[in-house]
Structures are given as C-alpha cells and as structure tokens.
C-alpha cells in the first residue's frame, strides 16, 4: 500500500517512496516503447532490403529447367548463348552478320527477318545469326556482365559457329549500343558494323552538357527518374521498376507516349505479318523468360551505368581496310534523342550517318528498310 502521512491541516500527502514508484513505472513503459519501436524499425529495414533483392532467374534446360527451343553454344566460362540462324547457308555465304537485339526483345525480334526480302538476302549471299543476349531468352545470365563482356561473348559465338576471321555486327536500340563495345574491344574481328537507333548513355563524358540536358529534359519524367536510378543506384533498379507506387521505365510499362505515329503503324503491320502463332508466342514470352532482373533490369544498369570508355574517343577501325560503320536513325524517334546521334556522327567523321525522315524508333522493321541497311553496309550500288 502507498505510505501516506497526515499533515496538521488534516490533508494526506504521498511520501517520496510513492513518487519514485510512479516514476519507475513511467520510465519502464518508456523503455519498453523504445525497444518496440526499435524492433519495428529493424523489421521495416529488413523488409525494405528484401524488396530490393531480385528473385533468382528461372532455370533453363534439363533436368529441371524450362524447355529449350533453339540451339546454344557453350562459352569458356560455362555459360550458354542461344542463337537463331537465317539467310543463306554460312558455308556459301559471302557476308556473315551477327545481329544483337534490342531492350526487352530476343533473337526472334530480328528486323532482317521481317523487313529484308528473302530474294535480296539470297542475291547478296547474306547469312545472319541472331543471339539472345545474356539473361534474355534462352541464354544464361551473366552476373559479372560488363560493357566489355558481351563483345567478347560475340567473338566467342563467331568462333564456335566458324564464321571465319572477320564478320559483320548489327545492333538495334540497346543492342546498337553494344556495337560501340565491339568497335572498342574486338575491332580486329570486324568486317563492318551497323548501329540502328542505338541507345545513348547521357553520362558519356564527351557529350556536351547543353545537348544532354536538353535531350534529357525531353524524356518522360518516369524515364528521367528510371535512368537516374540505373546510373546512380543500380542496386535499386529492380525495386524501382517493380513497385506500384509510381511508374517505372516507360518501355517496360509500355507507355504509348514514347511511340511515334510511325512506330504505331509499323507495329500494326508487323502484327498482321506474323501469322505463325508459335512465333508470335515466342516473341511475346522469350525476352523475360528467365525473369526481369537478369534481362531488362541488368540491361539498364549496364547501358546507363558507368562505362569504361566513351564512344566518342574511338578511332576508325577500318582505316586500313574496306570496312565501314553505319549509324541509322529515325528523325521522329521518341525513345532515343536524334540530336545526340547527330552530334556523335559529326564528331566521328568516319561514321556513315543515315537519317530516315518521319521514322520512329522501330523504323528498321518497316517494309524494305532491311534491304536498304544491308545494301549500304555491303556497298551495293543501286
């Protein structure tokens, strides 16, 4: 019981012992609350950390992986690259091309398979092999992937397929950006190169800040933030593009604002052209077959991350040979800024620049454009 004393006026007063008891109870409650808040904060941090971790990629091939639908070669490090061949037989081909696909695509999205005439390919003697980039389609992921590594993968693919001492490389969009790496790291193996609507890294040091700032400001807000995350906080890219609080990268979310009228027209014609339901399903499912992180998210981290070189420092790899490098752009491309491509082409005078009036990002899939690209690369006079 609380100890009380009676004062001379008859009122009771609590003793110091009672005050100390109440203070002890308050301090004890406050301590418990602090511990509870600390535990809750720790649990929140653990949850937040877990949300940034991507799930492991889905397994491919036997015994317990997804079924394989196309041939693969094994690289020296044990990984596999999947590929698809078309055109004339490589044994009789006069020109052999390695095609590198775009962002969120696969080896089945090869513009030459849709916009180049089989008769022209036959006439020019062209063999084309399209590969799945690491983590896409049926090619194993490369957790150690760098700007350089894919160029070396392409060289190894060419050797495994016996393409000969030299071959051509063609890349579209994000695959076009890869061609810069080929020009940097395996120029001695190249007979020529084509970059179609190639992605641009806004942080390449030789691009003027006034041009990059202007081009960057024209991008959708969701893309400005997505590219900042990929460049400065690559460990957050998976979370940023899978959370539902605000939109991720527009190409992933398929925001129609990034497609020009020409792109919409090309897509409609392409859909009408694809009558093989199996091919349509492969084009839809193969890009993210193994999951999103090792394909599209790692692509963003590499493409807009920190590069080990700047393409504007490159020198003409064909000064002593008959090869050439071509850069093709549509002037209404709303994904890749044409202003930056013009600057790059002006600075690298050895680049043969082709600008398609009214063309969007997907102009290479328009009827007949594949013929034009092949003829320009192979120096066929009309």
């Amino acid at each position: 019981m609380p100890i009380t004393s009676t004062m001379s006026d008859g009122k009771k007063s609590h003793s110091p012992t009672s005050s100390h008891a109440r203070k002890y109870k308050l301090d004890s409650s406050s301590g418990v609350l602090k511990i509870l808040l600390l535990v809750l904060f720790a649990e929140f941090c653990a949850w937040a950390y877990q949300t940034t971790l991507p799930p492991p990629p889905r397994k491919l091939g036997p015994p317990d992986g997804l079924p394989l639908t196309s041939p693969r070669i094994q690289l020296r490090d044990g990984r596999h690259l999947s590929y698809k061949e078309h055109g004339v037989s490589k044994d009789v081909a006069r020109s052999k091309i390695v095609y590198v696909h775009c962002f969120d695509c696969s080896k089945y999205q090869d513009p030459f398979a849709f916009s180049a005439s089989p008769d022209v390919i036959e006439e020019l003697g062209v063999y084309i092999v399209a590969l799945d980039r690491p983590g896409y389609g049926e090619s194993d992921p490369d957790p150690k992937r760098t700007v350089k590594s894919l160029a070396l993968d392409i060289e190894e693919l060419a050797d495994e397929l016996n393409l000969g001492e030299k071959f051509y490389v063609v890349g579209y969009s994000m695959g076009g950006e890869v061609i810069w790496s080929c020009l940097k790291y395996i120029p001695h193996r190249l007979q020529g190169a084509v970059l179609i609507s190639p992605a641009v890294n806004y942080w390449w040091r030789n691009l003027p800040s006034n041009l990059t700032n202007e081009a960057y400001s024209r991008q959708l807000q969701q893309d400005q933030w997505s590219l900042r995350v990929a460049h400065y906080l690559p460990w957050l890219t998976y979370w940023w593009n899978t959370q539902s609080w605000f939109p991720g990268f527009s190409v992933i979310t398929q925001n129609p604002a990034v497609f020009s009228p020409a792109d919409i027209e090309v897509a409609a014609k392409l859909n009408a052209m694809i009558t093989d339901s199996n091919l349509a399903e492969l084009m839809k499912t193969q890009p993210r077959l193994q999951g999103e992180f090792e394909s599209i998210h790692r692509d963003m981290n590499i493409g807009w991350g920190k590069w080990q070189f700047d393409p504007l420092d490159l020198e003409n790899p064909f000064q002593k040979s008959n090869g050439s490098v071509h850069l093709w752009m549509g002037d209404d491309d709303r994904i890749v800024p044409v202003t930056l491509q013009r600057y790059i082409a002006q600075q690298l005078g050895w680049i043969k620049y082709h600008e398609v009036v009214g063309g969007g990002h997907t102009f290479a899939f328009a009827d007949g454009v594949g013929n034009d690209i092949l003829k320009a690369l192979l120096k066929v006079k009309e």
Side-chain angles (χ1 to χ4, degrees), residues 179-193:
I179 303 305
W180 293 122
S181 298
C182 293
L183 293 169
K184 169 67 175 179
Y185 296 113
I186 58 167
H188 56 289
R189 299 300 306 274
L190 303 183
Q191 200 167 353

Side-chain angles (χ1 to χ4, degrees), residues 225-240:
W225 280 105
S226 296
L227 299 191
R228 287 190 191 104
V229 169
H231 184 78
Y232 294 109
L233 302 168
W235 54 271
L236 203 57
T237 297
Y238 168 77
W239 175 83
W240 187 269

Side-chain angles (χ1 to χ4, degrees), residues 183 187-188 190 314-321 325 350:
L183 293 169
H188 56 289
L190 303 183
L314 293 175
E315 296 182 356
N316 184 0
F318 303 115
Q319 295 182 49
K320 298 181 180 180
S321 67
V325 180
W350 42 272

Side-chain angles (χ1 to χ4, degrees), residues 322-356:
N322 198 33
S324 57
V325 180
H326 299 255
L327 198 163
W328 289 74
M329 275 296 297
D331 69 353
D332 194 20
D333 192 321
R334 301 183 186 184
I335 296 177
V336 179
V338 68
T339 53
L340 298 183
Q341 305 290 16
R342 290 169 181 162
Y343 179 82
I344 291 171
Q346 289 169 0
Q347 297 304 303
L348 301 179
W350 42 272
I351 293 276
K352 298 184 183 299
Y353 183 64
H354 311 262
E355 191 166 297
V356 179

Side-chain angles (χ1 to χ4, degrees), residues 48-206:
Y49 173 71
Q50 288 297 322
T51 63
T52 67
L53 298 178
R58 301 184 186 98
K59 293 182 179 180
L60 293 172
D64 56 352
L66 297 168
L68 299 172
T69 64
S70 55
R72 306 198 302 172
I73 60 111
Q74 186 169 15
L75 302 172
R76 283 186 290 268
D77 63 5
R79 289 181 297 113
H80 295 83
L81 284 184
S82 176
Y83 63 93
K84 179 179 180 293
E85 301 167 292
H86 68 104
V88 305
S89 167
K90 64 185 174 186
D91 297 327
V92 299
R94 298 194 299 275
S95 303
K96 299 168 186 176
I97 296 174
V98 177
Y99 172 72
V100 189
H101 66 77
C102 62
F103 182 83
D104 204 10
C105 292
S106 74
K107 58 183 176 288
Y108 293 104
Q109 277 93 348
D110 173 359
F112 297 120
F114 299 99
S115 67
S117 163
D119 292 338
V120 170
I121 290 178
E122 182 78 26
E123 177 188 344
L124 298 178
V126 176
Y127 159 88
I128 301 169
V129 56
L131 74 149
D132 282 331
R133 293 193 280 122
Y136 278 99
E138 297 174 353
S139 287
D140 293 335
D142 183 4
K144 299 179 181 178
R145 183 179 157 198
T146 64
V147 171
K148 179 179 181 179
S149 64
L150 184 52
L152 302 183
D153 286 352
I154 289 171
E155 181 180 31
E156 198 170 342
L157 173 75
D159 289 338
E160 287 290 326
L161 295 180
N162 298 312
L163 298 191
E165 182 182 351
K166 290 182 180 290
F167 51 89
Y168 295 92
V169 287
V170 178
Y172 165 52
S173 193
M174 194 68 87
E177 194 181 50
V178 172
I179 303 305
W180 293 122
S181 298
C182 293
L183 293 169
K184 169 67 175 179
Y185 296 113
I186 58 167
H188 56 289
R189 299 300 306 274
L190 303 183
Q191 200 167 353
V194 180
L195 302 89
I196 305 171
S197 308
V200 173
N201 187 316
Y202 295 90
W203 291 270
W204 286 337
R205 67 178 183 278
N206 288 324

Side-chain angles (χ1 to χ4, degrees), residues 44-55 225-226 229-230 233-249 252-253 292-294 296-298 300-301:
F44 172 78
C45 290
W47 170 82
Y49 173 71
Q50 288 297 322
T51 63
T52 67
L53 298 178
W225 280 105
S226 296
V229 169
L233 302 168
W235 54 271
L236 203 57
T237 297
Y238 168 77
W239 175 83
W240 187 269
N241 288 284
T242 55
Q243 51 72 39
S244 57
W245 297 342
F246 33 78
F249 188 41
I252 297 175
T253 63
E292 296 184 358
F293 179 72
E294 288 294 348
I296 55 179
H297 299 153
R298 192 176 293 280
M300 294 181 69
N301 289 346

